[in-house]
Amino acid sequence: METTVLKLEALSKCYGSFCALKDVHLDIRHGEIFALLGPNGAGKTTLIGCVVGLVRKTSGKAYVFGVDLDKEAQKLRHEVGVVHQELNFDPAFTPREVLAFQMGYYGMRKNSARIAELLDVFSLANKADVPMRALSGGMRRRMMIAKALVHNPKLLFLDEPTAGVDMELRQDLWNYVKHLRKQGTTIVLTTHYLEEAEALADRVGVLSQGRLAVVEEKNHLLNRLGTQQLHLRLDTPLPQNQFQNILHSLEQSSPHLQAALSEDGMLLSISQTEGAPHFAEIVTKLSAILSIADMKTQNPRLEDVIYKVLHASLDTTDAGLKNNSPSSR
């Protein structure tokens, strides 16, 4: 049976007439990695702030592990961890001291074994007693994550955890996030690296101007809105009249199929915008009439799908504004 770890009901946060979050409803499931995506200013950090107590919501309800945050937020202090976008350390302290102080913040006794474990996991053991000011940006980012994990939280918010770090470190962090999920930690991830969300997330939510435009299983979303592509390299140029016949045949077989031919007639590209592709059947049919030298398929990209979702959301918002304008009444 599925357990809801985080439940938001009509959550809103307004600053005067500007609303950073507008009537957000969301359920986060136990043990999943949920990617909360959207452009700068969409409301991602505000949403996290409302849950972890850094931002006071305007209206709505938030529950973590069934606990109403308006009534018993302190009960959840040890259950939630957060990695913020901003790097916030006292530059004079060492990583070992920072983790020890963080334990004290959660009312824990200093646990040298836990500190050593985290320093080792994040490749900071050889910098354990060096002042934070001497660490690189990537090392400081690792320390942010180590701080958030020092108390073994069951719900972890990662707000742009790999911003400004190199690809090698990003891969290491991806692997550790997967490890945490296997241990039962529920993770909410915000990121502008959409390949990160594509590699890690079970489900995706897209915020646009403070509203949730979509919440869906990542693979379902890719299949529903993504474009599958098949590229056929031909041995000889394909005449335009024959291409038009092929195009007509493809359109008859499926309204979601499209085809394009390169100027030199040597590359035939076929795309499918909805549903599971039946490219094997298409290749079988085309190989009977064409001489195919090579072929490759291209899966849909989350970046393209999110772009579609955001633009559809903006179009809907613009239409709503027009319908509510004085001239339309």
Side-chain angles (χ1 to χ4, degrees), residues 3-6 28-31 51-52 63-69 72-83 102 105-108 114 147-158 180 183-188:
T3 303
T4 299
V5 169
L6 172 63
I28 304 294
R29 306 164 184 166
H30 170 71
V51 175
V52 301
Y63 303 87
V64 176
F65 298 105
V67 175
D68 186 342
L69 294 185
E72 300 178 284
Q74 285 300 316
K75 287 178 63 174
L76 298 166
R77 188 178 176 193
H78 291 80
E79 309 296 331
V80 180
V82 57
V83 177
Q102 190 74 359
Y105 173 78
Y106 285 104
M108 302 168 63
R114 176 62 175 164
K147 273 181 64 178
L149 292 171
V150 75
H151 60 298
N152 288 307
K154 296 178 183 176
L155 172 61
L156 179 64
F157 290 95
L158 299 174
L180 289 174
Q183 290 186 323
T185 305
T186 303
I187 297 162
V188 178

Side-chain angles (χ1 to χ4, degrees), residues 51-66:
V51 175
V52 301
L54 297 176
V55 175
R56 181 174 294 179
K57 61 184 173 60
T58 302
S59 60
K61 302 291 287 184
Y63 303 87
V64 176
F65 298 105

Side-chain angles (χ1 to χ4, degrees), residues 250-258 273:
L250 290 173
E251 289 173 345
Q252 283 188 322
S253 65
S254 172
H256 305 301
L257 284 174
Q258 299 174 340
T273 55

Side-chain angles (χ1 to χ4, degrees), residues 56-193:
R56 181 174 294 179
K57 61 184 173 60
T58 302
S59 60
K61 302 291 287 184
Y63 303 87
V64 176
F65 298 105
V67 175
D68 186 342
L69 294 185
D70 287 337
K71 299 177 180 178
E72 300 178 284
Q74 285 300 316
K75 287 178 63 174
L76 298 166
R77 188 178 176 193
H78 291 80
E79 309 296 331
V80 180
V82 57
V83 177
H84 301 283
Q85 288 187 41
E86 297 81 13
L87 297 172
N88 52 352
F89 297 105
D90 187 314
F93 292 124
T94 68
R96 195 187 307 277
E97 290 170 332
V98 167
L99 294 180
F101 293 148
Q102 190 74 359
M103 285 182 167
Y105 173 78
Y106 285 104
M108 302 168 63
R109 291 184 177 180
K110 181 179 176 181
N111 185 332
S112 297
R114 176 62 175 164
I115 291 172
E117 176 190 352
L118 288 170
L119 291 172
D120 184 58
V121 162
F122 291 103
S123 301
L124 291 165
N126 62 338
K127 301 289 184 180
D129 301 303
V130 173
M132 290 296 302
R133 69 166 71 90
L135 300 188
S136 67
M139 290 178 179
R140 294 179 189 181
R141 182 65 61 183
R142 297 183 206 189
M143 273 300 302
M144 288 288 291
I145 301 174
K147 273 181 64 178
L149 292 171
V150 75
H151 60 298
N152 288 307
K154 296 178 183 176
L155 172 61
L156 179 64
F157 290 95
L158 299 174
D159 195 5
E160 301 287 345
T162 58
V165 303
D166 59 49
M167 192 61 208
E168 183 178 357
L169 174 55
R170 194 173 300 141
Q171 289 284 355
D172 289 341
L173 293 178
W174 291 2
N175 291 334
Y176 194 67
V177 167
K178 292 175 183 177
H179 169 71
L180 289 174
R181 193 256 303 273
K182 287 181 180 178
Q183 290 186 323
T185 305
T186 303
I187 297 162
V188 178
L189 167 72
T190 80
T191 180
H192 283 101
Y193 299 107

Side-chain angles (χ1 to χ4, degrees), residues 37 204-216 224 306 309-314:
L37 307 177
V204 170
V206 181
L207 273 171
S208 176
Q209 297 183 340
R211 297 185 184 276
L212 268 177
V214 68
V215 175
E216 197 167 338
R224 183 169 67 85
I306 300 304
V309 169
L310 288 173
H311 276 261
S313 173
L314 291 174

